[in-house]
């Protein structure tokens, strides 16, 4: 079911680690954001790198999530639609609980919507970025 997942994770890690040389922006000033499957990849990869923050929209945990053995995880924003027909709301709750159990600072929001991104989410995202990049 998750064929190619490890390779995809490594490709994303390699790409993120290459960004500083091409953009001048270090990982410590980078916020990884993903929607749906991209949210799952954000959780997978984001907990392994020294990023500034993670944003998961309508995401979920893959079954074999591996985290760094350190305690310096980036802060995380999780947003999810209460009526999401693709990724159930319980997936967001599980992701929040798993993150909090690792000691991650999690900001969590539910919205009256389905599997989508709405303008009010962008307002929350903006506020999260401003807060963690100060």
């Amino acid at each position: 079911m998750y064929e190619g997942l490890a390779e995809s994770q490594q490709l994303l890690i390699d790409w993120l680690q290459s960004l500083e040389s091409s953009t001048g922006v270090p990982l410590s000033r980078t916020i990884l954001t993903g929607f749906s499957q991209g949210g799952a990849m954000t959780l997978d990869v984001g907990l392994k790198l020294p990023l500034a923050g993670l944003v998961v929209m309508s995401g979920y945990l893959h079954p074999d999530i591996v985290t760094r053995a350190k305690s310096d995880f980036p802060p995380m924003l999780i947003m999810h639609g209460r009526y999401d027909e693709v990724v159930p709301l319980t997936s967001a709750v599980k992701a929040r609980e798993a993150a909090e159990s690792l000691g991650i600072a999690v900001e969590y929001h539910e919205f009256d919507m389905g599997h989508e991104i709405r303008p009010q989410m962008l307002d929350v995202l903006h506020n999260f970025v401003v807060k963690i990049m100060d």
Side-chain angles (χ1 to χ4, degrees):
M1 180 173 184
Y2 293 101
E3 186 176 330
L5 179 60
E7 294 85 357
S8 295
Q9 292 167 340
Q10 192 58 54
L11 285 170
L12 181 55
I13 288 169
D14 293 346
W15 180 75
L16 287 165
Q17 290 176 330
S18 76
L19 284 178
E20 184 172 3
S21 65
S22 61
T23 67
V25 179
L27 284 177
S28 63
R29 300 288 297 163
T30 301
I31 299 171
L32 184 59
T33 304
F35 174 78
S36 195
Q37 185 175 351
M41 290 295 285
T42 295
L43 288 165
D44 288 349
V45 168
L47 296 177
K48 297 174 185 170
L49 295 172
L51 295 160
L54 306 175
V55 177
V56 180
M57 297 178 281
S58 299
Y60 55 93
L61 291 170
H62 284 127
D64 297 328
I65 189 164
V66 178
T67 60
R68 292 181 288 158
K70 303 178 195 174
S71 61
D72 60 339
F73 294 107
M76 181 183 300
L77 170 62
I78 297 175
M79 298 183 282
H80 211 99
R82 289 186 186 98
Y83 313 115
D84 192 325
E85 66 285 353
V86 178
V87 179
L89 181 61
T90 55
S91 298
V93 172
K94 287 178 187 174
R96 181 190 72 208
E97 290 170 351
E100 288 174 343
S101 75
L102 294 169
I104 298 171
V106 179
E107 183 177 330
Y108 179 84
H109 296 269
E110 294 177 6
F111 297 90
D112 289 328
M113 62 182 201
H115 193 68
E116 58 193 301
I117 298 173
R118 290 205 179 159
Q120 66 262 38
M121 293 174 71
L122 301 180
D123 291 337
V124 172
L125 173 59
H126 173 264
N127 293 337
F128 177 76
V129 170
V130 168
K131 180 173 68 176
I132 67 171
M133 297 306 273
D134 251 350

